[in-house]
Structures are given as C-alpha cells and as structure tokens.
C-alpha cells in the first residue's frame, strides 16, 4: 500500500508540521479588524499562540479557515471549543490535558471518550441548526460551508460517538501502517526511531524531543500521558475515510472506502507546542552527553497551559502557571488508588522522559540542603525525636511573622483588582470555515465580492506546506483581496522526516519564486536548514515598526 516515504505523512494532516508561531509577530499595526486567511494550517496552534500574545492589542481578529478535508474542520472546532470553555466549567489543568489528549493521542481515557461522545451530540445539534457556536466565545461559524459540506460534517461528528462507530481498533491500524512503512526495517525499530529523532531532528534544531518519548509515540501513537491513568479508549476524532480506486488496488479492496487512521506516523504532534522553552528556560537544560531531562510532552503541557491561562485572563501568565509543579498538591490529594483518579506531576513526566530533577535529588538527602539544628538532649532520654519536633515547631513560631488582618485584606484586594482587570481574549476573535477545496483562484474570482471592502481584505495569509501547490496556481489578481501591507507566511518542510537537504532547499526556492511572482517580497532572510517559516510582505506595503 505504501510506495514511498511521503506515504508516512498520511492523507490528512491531523496536526501541523512546525512549531506554533505568533502570526502578528507583535509588530503588525492595524486600526480595525485584522483578517487572517489560513490555508492548510492543519490545527489551531497558530491561532492559540497569536491570541494569547495579543493582550496588548485592542484590535479584533477574524480567522478565515480553508482546509482540504471536512474532518479537519471538525477537529479545529473541537480544539477552539476547548480553548473557550470557561474555567468555571472546566479547570485549567483539565483543559490542558484534554486538549493534548484529543490532539495527539490515538488512545485516550474512558472519561475523555465519554466527554467526546457528549460533545459530538452537542456539535451535531448546532451544525444542523444555526451553524454558529456562540454558547461562549470565541465566535465560530460554519454557515459559509455548502449544504453538502455541512451534511458531511454531521457524518464526521457522528463517527465520534461510540454508538455510530462501535469498533475502531486504532492501535491495529497504527501498527499496520508502521509495519508497511518500515518494511524490512521493522525489526530494527529502536534504532530507526532513535536515528530519526537524535540525528535528523537534532541536526535541524529540535533539541527538546527525547528519543524515548518519540519512539513510544512512533510505536503506539500515544504522545501525551500527563495523568497516571489508563489510556485504552480509541480517539475517534482521528478517524477518517480513504477511498481506494481500482487502479490503486486489486481484488475486493478496489473501489471501496475504508475508515481508519490515515494521518502522520513519522513527524509527531510534539512539534506544535513542545519545541520552545521561552516560558521556562531552565527546562532546556540537559545532562552531560546531551540527554534531555524533561522532554517535549512536559513542554507541550506547560506551554499550552500558559497560552490557555493568558487567553482566559488577558495578561501574562505568572511563573506558577509555567512551572512543572503546577497543581501538584491538588493532584496528590485526588489520587485514590484508581487508575483514572490521579494525575502525574511534572516530576513523574520527568522520570519517564529523562532523569530526576534537582528538587527530587535534594529530597533524597534533606540534610544536604537544610542547615543543621543543634538540639539539646533531654536528661534521662535516649530519643530526642520529640524534642527535635518541639524545638523545630517553636523555632518556626518565632521566625514566622504574624500576619495581621490588614495584610490579608491587602492581599485579597490586590487579587480582586487583578481579577477585575482580566479580559477574556476569546471575545476578540472569531473563526469562519470555508468549504473544503476552496483555492486562491476562488478568492479572486468566485468569492471576490466578499472582499470588496477594505475591512474585509486579507491582512495576513498563512499557507501550510500542503497548500503551496494552491499558491502556485494563484495569479496577481490575488492582490485585489489583500491590504497594501499584507503579509504572507509560508510553512517550510524542515521537520518532515524523510526530506533531504536538497528537498528542503528546493522547496524554499520554489516558495520564494512563487511569492515573488505574486508581488510579495522576502521580509526576513531565510536559512532553509534553520527557519521553519518564510515571511513575505507585499512589495508596495510597509510593516509598522
């Protein structure tokens, strides 16, 4: 079935093949609504990071999504819905874990499977009714989809429910694809996976993915396990159909459509949120020899948690949110011995991915960090444990300042003042989904009437690596639906396993030629083997400084 390396990427891009970026880059000036056109983005990682870092801006953002399959539309609606859930309905940590679980795992918890089943029913009611998700921000609309596309979207959402798709053995589908992709190399799996992570990705600048967590994902399809729970239920949001023509297959398979897992099995979902450590630079440290301590799964959880907190509060996340110890006490209290009752902390994840962290090592030998206390033995007693306990408590009592009511009131007032200044950034953006298959030519011809007014024109155009061929077919009439300072961002193929240096450089050269032919000039010099995105600006435009 698989004839070459590109088959391993699959026929549908469930996640992006590059790290999340801020599409605005904090230097894009606009007075009113900023229209962002996204072709082949694959997921919502760029939307999440862009909105979380727009706290200093007052503009509204409108994302127009153009995907190649309706299954991606359903997944992106699900991701945006989780982002917008108020903290009163779902806690920050639970949102983070549920997002990552449904985003990059083939197997999920039973509680998540039940939640997805209920949400699918809720989504179906909206898609078949108003087509607007407005229970809480962000504003999401599917009204621009054709009637047949909305019917197809309804079918996709039904496949997320157990009663409609009772048998979905995704582990078998995954293993079958891995076997057919590797062929005779299947018996050398540990070495093959380690080479792709430690050599290919490391040489291209990815130094946060540990080879063991990458190998685990390549073997099982499970990327994120933040909880000490059983991940046994299939993730039906990764189900998609594939048609096999008679020319591709012979026998009974020809002319049939099979539902299975047809996504990426080589690049990994770690790329989206697990490759940058600007929130906590200390997490980038390694052991002698280059061994990674934390890994991309912990970084993904930490970075996404910060993004979600900033979106909900409209200000920069405090250091406690960007800590691997976040929620540790609450998690420990909830552990009741059941498989699904507790959740692991950053320390547990660290042990799984790398070595023990420094605080753990210190806890093994408390006397190494704590100053010695000189204790006087009680006469007639050989055991001084009670005396030590008493004097320790007494010393704490002497050293601890008396917290007055005024101090507590002041602390509460400061907390209330911060809460009053909180702004839900979800209220500042909206998302419209267009019919799958819409091209750049359609924007300048069939859909041109929708972009006549200046406030409706594109301020930013994002092109995923799978949609560069669509940009090749565009003409200079595309500029008619763009603002004078429109920015064009093209995703590179830098992190695709199997792509050689010549392929990457050829892709970058082709992207530059295509952009130049449309009237866009390179904004930032590009290093093909280091930069995962290419930035262009309209030739007659000017980026605000």
């Amino acid at each position: 079935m698989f004839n070459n390396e590109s088959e391993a990427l699959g026929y549908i891009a469930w996640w992006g093949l590059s790290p999340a970026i801020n599409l605005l880059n904090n230097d894009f000036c606009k007075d009113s609504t900023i229209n962002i056109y996204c072709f082949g983005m694959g997921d919502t990682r760029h939307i999440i990071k862009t909105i979380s870092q727009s706290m200093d801006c007052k503009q509204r953002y409108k994302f127009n999504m153009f995907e190649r399959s309706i299954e991606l539309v359903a997944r992106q609606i699900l991701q945006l819905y989780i982002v917008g859930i108020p903290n009163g309905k779902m806690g920050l940590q639970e949102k983070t874990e549920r997002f990552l679980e449904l985003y990059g795992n083939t197997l999920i918890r039973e509680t998540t499977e039940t939640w997805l089943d209920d949400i699918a029913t809720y989504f179906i009611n909206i898609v078949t009714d108003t087509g607007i998700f407005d229970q809480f921000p962000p504003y999401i609309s599917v009204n621009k989809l054709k009637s047949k596309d909305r019917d197809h979207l309804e079918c996709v959402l039904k496949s997320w429910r157990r009663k409609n798709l009772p048998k979905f053995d995704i582990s078998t589908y995954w293993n079958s694809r891995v076997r057919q992709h590797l062929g005779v190399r299947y018996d050398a799996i540990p070495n093959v996976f380690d080479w792709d992570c430690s050599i290919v990705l490391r040489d291209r600048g990815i130094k946060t993915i540990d080879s063991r967590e990458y190998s685990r994902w390549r073997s099982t399809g499970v990327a994120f396990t933040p909880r000490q729970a059983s991940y046994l239920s299939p993730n039906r949001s990764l189900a998609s159909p594939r048609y096999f023509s008679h020319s591709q297959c012979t026998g009974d398979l020809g002319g049939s459509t099979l539902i299975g897992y047809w996504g990426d099995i080589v690049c990994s979902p770690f790329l989206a949120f697990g490759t940058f450590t600007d929130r906590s630079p200390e997490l980038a440290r390694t052991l002698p020899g280059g061994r990674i301590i934390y890994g991309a799964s912990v970084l993904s959880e930490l970075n996404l948690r910060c993004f979600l907190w900033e979106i909900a509060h409209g200000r920069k996340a405090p250091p406690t949110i960007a800590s691997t110890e976040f929620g540790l006490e609450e998690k420990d209290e909830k552990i009741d011995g059941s498989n699904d009752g507790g959740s692991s902390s950053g320390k547990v994840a660290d042990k799984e991915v790398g070595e023990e962290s420094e605080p753990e090592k210190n806890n093994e030998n408390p006397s190494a960090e704590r100053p010695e206390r000189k204790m006087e033995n009680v006469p007639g007693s050989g055991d001084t444990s009670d005396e030590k306990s008493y004097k320790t408590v007494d010393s704490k009592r002497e050293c601890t300042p008396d917290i007055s009511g005024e101090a507590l009131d002041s602390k509460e007032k400061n907390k209330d003042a911060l809460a009053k200044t909180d702004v839900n950034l979800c209220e500042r953006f909206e998302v419209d989904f267009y019919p799958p298959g819409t091209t750049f030519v359609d924007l300048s011809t069939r859909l041109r009437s929708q972009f006549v007014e200046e406030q409706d024109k594109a301020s930013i155009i994002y092109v995923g690596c799978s949609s560069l061929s669509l940009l090749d077919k565009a003409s200079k009439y595309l500029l008619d639906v763009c603002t004078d300072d429109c920015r064009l961002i093209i995703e590179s193929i830098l992190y695709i396993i199997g792509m050689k240096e010549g392929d990457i450089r050829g892709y970058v050269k082709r992207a530059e030629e295509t952009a130049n032919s449309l009237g866009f000039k390179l904004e930032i010099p590009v290093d093909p083997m280091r930069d995962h995105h290419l930035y262009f600006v309209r030739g007659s435009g000017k980026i605000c400084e």
Side-chain angles (χ1 to χ4, degrees):
M1 185 184 299
F2 299 97
N3 301 320
N4 51 58
E5 290 289 335
S6 63
E7 295 275 359
L9 289 176
Y11 295 87
I12 184 169
W14 292 123
W15 41 75
L17 303 177
S18 60
I21 62 172
N22 182 359
L23 299 177
L24 302 180
N25 204 22
N26 291 330
D27 60 0
F28 198 90
C29 300
K30 196 74 176 179
D31 296 331
S32 57
T33 302
I34 297 179
N35 294 289
I36 305 175
Y37 292 7
C38 304
F39 284 82
M41 184 178 288
D43 57 20
T44 59
R45 67 194 187 283
H46 299 319
I47 297 179
I48 293 174
K49 186 167 185 177
T50 299
I51 296 302
S52 69
Q53 297 184 358
S54 66
M55 58 192 73
D56 296 330
C57 304
K58 302 300 181 183
Q59 299 91 349
R60 290 191 58 83
Y61 307 94
K62 183 176 181 181
F63 293 89
N64 299 282
M65 309 298 291
F66 303 86
E67 294 294 346
R68 308 185 75 168
S69 63
I70 201 67
E71 289 82 8
L72 293 178
V73 173
R75 284 256 300 178
Q76 290 173 10
I77 292 174
L78 175 64
Q79 293 167 15
L80 292 172
Y81 180 85
I82 296 176
V83 170
I85 295 178
N87 289 337
K89 293 188 176 182
M90 183 181 293
L92 175 62
Q93 184 63 20
E94 178 65 21
K95 279 202 297 185
T96 303
E97 294 175 356
R98 185 150 291 172
F99 184 101
L100 292 175
E101 204 173 330
L102 292 169
Y103 177 78
N105 281 8
T106 55
L107 298 175
I108 57 179
R109 293 173 292 153
E110 185 177 358
T111 53
T112 303
E113 181 187 28
T114 302
W115 182 85
L116 181 63
D117 197 295
D118 296 336
I119 286 299
T121 301
Y122 170 70
F123 283 2
I124 290 171
N125 293 334
I126 294 179
V127 170
T128 56
D129 189 14
T130 62
I132 299 175
F133 296 79
D134 57 357
Q135 181 183 5
F136 43 75
Y139 176 94
I140 305 172
S141 173
V142 295
N143 285 332
K144 286 186 169 58
L145 296 179
K146 299 177 182 178
S147 297
K148 66 174 183 179
D149 294 323
R150 290 179 68 166
D151 292 340
H152 190 184
L153 179 58
E154 179 187 358
C155 293
V156 171
L157 295 173
K158 285 182 177 179
S159 69
W160 291 1
R161 302 188 300 190
R162 281 172 287 195
K163 67 178 183 180
N164 296 108
L165 189 63
K167 183 174 176 58
F168 183 61
D169 193 359
I170 193 170
S171 296
T172 300
Y173 306 149
W174 181 279
N175 186 59
S176 175
R177 288 198 56 200
V178 171
R179 283 180 176 273
Q180 295 185 60
H181 167 61
L182 294 179
V184 296
R185 297 185 298 161
Y186 185 82
D187 293 334
I189 270 184
N191 298 329
V192 173
F193 295 164
D194 183 68
W195 176 273
D196 289 341
C197 180
S198 302
I199 304 300
V200 177
L201 292 179
R202 289 284 182 91
D203 288 348
R204 298 178 186 178
I206 298 295
K207 302 184 183 300
T208 58
I209 301 179
D210 185 77
S211 60
R212 286 167 293 178
E213 63 181 349
Y214 177 78
S215 297
R216 182 188 64 179
W217 174 79
R218 287 283 298 267
S219 300
T220 64
V222 178
F224 308 105
T225 55
R227 287 181 179 263
Q228 292 177 333
S230 298
Y231 292 79
L232 302 175
S233 301
N235 184 359
R236 289 178 175 82
S237 70
L238 294 177
S240 63
R242 180 188 172 189
Y243 174 75
F244 293 88
S245 63
H246 291 282
S247 60
Q248 291 176 313
C249 303
T250 58
D252 297 336
L253 189 59
S256 60
T257 300
L258 300 181
I259 294 179
Y261 177 81
W262 305 110
D264 166 44
I265 60 172
V266 291
C267 292
S268 86
F270 297 126
L271 293 173
F273 301 105
T275 58
F276 41 92
T277 59
D278 53 319
R279 300 283 180 170
S280 299
E282 67 275 7
L283 299 185
R285 70 180 189 270
T286 59
L287 295 174
R291 191 174 182 183
I292 297 173
I293 297 179
Y294 286 92
S297 58
V298 176
L299 284 175
S300 298
E301 180 184 350
L302 184 148
N303 289 325
L304 181 60
R305 184 169 63 235
C306 289
F307 291 153
L308 296 181
W309 192 94
E310 290 171 348
I311 290 175
H313 295 82
R315 49 192 170 91
K316 188 172 180 60
T320 54
I321 302 297
S323 171
T324 56
E325 305 295 329
F326 176 82
L328 180 59
E329 294 80 5
E330 291 81 355
K331 290 179 181 180
D332 290 341
E333 291 175 0
K334 292 180 181 179
I335 294 178
D336 58 359
S338 62
N339 288 335
D340 198 42
S343 60
S344 64
S345 66
K347 293 181 180 179
V348 176
D350 296 347
K351 291 180 182 179
E352 181 180 350
V353 175
E355 296 296 322
E356 293 180 346
S357 60
E358 293 299 327
E360 285 184 299
K361 293 180 180 179
N362 293 338
N363 289 338
E364 294 176 0
N365 186 13
S367 62
E369 289 292 328
R370 299 175 185 172
E372 295 182 0
R373 296 186 179 92
K374 295 182 179 180
M375 310 300 296
E376 297 179 1
N377 293 333
V378 178
S381 173
D383 185 8
T384 61
S385 59
D386 293 338
E387 180 71 7
K388 289 181 180 179
S389 176
Y390 173 78
K391 287 187 175 286
T392 301
V393 173
D394 188 62
S395 63
K396 287 182 179 179
R397 191 177 299 161
E398 293 177 358
C399 298
T400 303
D402 183 23
I403 301 178
S404 63
E406 293 182 1
L408 290 175
D409 291 342
S410 176
K411 188 175 181 180
E412 290 297 328
K413 288 180 180 179
N414 292 336
K415 188 176 180 180
D416 293 339
L418 286 175
K420 290 180 180 179
T421 59
D422 285 352
V423 177
N424 187 356
L425 298 182
C426 287
E427 299 175 356
R428 294 185 180 177
F429 78 99
E430 58 186 86
V431 181
D432 274 339
F433 289 95
Y434 283 76
T438 303
T439 65
F440 288 100
V441 176
D442 294 330
L443 293 184
S444 56
T445 55
R446 182 170 57 86
L447 302 176
R448 186 173 180 176
S449 60
Q450 300 182 21
F451 313 107
V452 174
E453 301 296 333
E454 187 68 23
Q455 64 268 20
D456 296 326
K457 293 185 177 181
S459 303
I460 299 173
I461 298 178
Y462 180 89
V463 182
C465 58
S466 62
S467 298
L468 183 61
S469 58
L470 300 180
L471 193 63
D472 289 337
K473 300 176 182 178
S475 64
K476 283 199 172 183
Y477 291 108
L478 177 64
L479 297 180
D480 294 339
V481 298
C482 300
T483 59
D484 293 336
D485 56 354
C486 180
R487 170 183 288 174
L488 174 65
I489 304 175
I490 301 179
E491 182 184 28
S492 177
I493 59 173
L494 178 63
Y495 301 135
I496 296 181
I497 303 296
M499 291 294 176
K500 308 300 182 183
E501 181 176 350
D503 300 328
I504 298 172
R505 293 186 180 277
Y507 175 91
V508 171
K509 181 179 179 181
R510 173 188 166 196
E512 290 186 28
E513 293 175 350
T514 301
N516 292 336
S517 66
L518 295 175
F520 291 90
K521 305 300 180 183
L522 196 62
E523 180 184 6
I524 303 174
V526 178
D527 181 353
M529 300 308 296
R530 281 290 178 265
D531 297 331
H532 46 76
H533 283 90
L534 291 74
Y535 296 87
F536 301 87
V537 64
R538 186 171 177 177
S540 60
K542 181 180 179 181
I543 294 295
C544 300
E545 298 180 357

